[in-house]
Amino acid sequence: MHKEVQFKNRDKFVELGIIISAIRKSKGMTQRELAERAFISRSHLSNIEAPNIISSFALETLFNIADALEISAGDLLNIKLPSPQYINEDSEFDNDKY
């Protein structure tokens, strides 16, 4: 059962989902592969990564996703997306830069 995300945290969940998606893609993983390694369903991962769907998820899920991506949960939470003015639409998110 998911709790409703408070308005003040919506952007944080969206940003985290985008970061998870970018790191997953940079590692050449499909949603199915990451979901299996994180012990969640592919549809749940899809909801986490989707910028237009805001759903909270358990801390255990965050830890499992971080482990599957081979990054600490703390680092995953501390990565910041670059300002939109600095993003080239053709470029991939570079985890080493941010």
Side-chain angles (χ1 to χ4, degrees):
M1 181 160 104
H2 297 285
K3 295 174 88 177
E4 186 68 27
V5 174
Q6 292 182 6
F7 183 76
K8 69 179 185 173
N9 293 322
R10 293 174 65 87
D11 290 345
K12 295 173 188 172
F13 275 96
V14 169
E15 185 173 2
L16 180 57
I18 292 169
I19 289 166
I20 289 168
S21 175
I23 295 171
R24 173 183 60 77
K25 290 174 183 176
S26 75
K27 293 182 175 278
M29 296 172 70
T30 65
Q31 281 187 338
R32 183 172 310 284
E33 289 169 331
L34 178 55
E36 286 174 2
R37 292 179 189 181
F39 309 107
I40 60 175
S41 69
R42 194 214 48 83
S43 63
H44 186 44
L45 178 60
S46 178
N47 285 343
I48 291 169
E49 290 185 354
N52 59 337
I53 299 174
I54 312 302
S55 63
S56 64
F57 54 94
L59 193 54
E60 182 174 11
T61 300
L62 175 68
F63 291 143
N64 289 345
I65 289 171
D67 288 346
L69 291 172
E70 299 176 331
I71 185 171
S72 76
D75 286 347
L76 190 58
L77 289 171
N78 284 319
I79 294 172
K80 298 293 180 207
L81 292 174
S83 296
Q85 66 192 30
Y86 297 112
I87 297 175
N88 178 345
E89 292 180 13
D90 296 331
S91 67
E92 286 288 321
F93 177 80
D94 186 349
N95 190 30
D96 293 331
K97 289 183 180 177
Y98 306 105

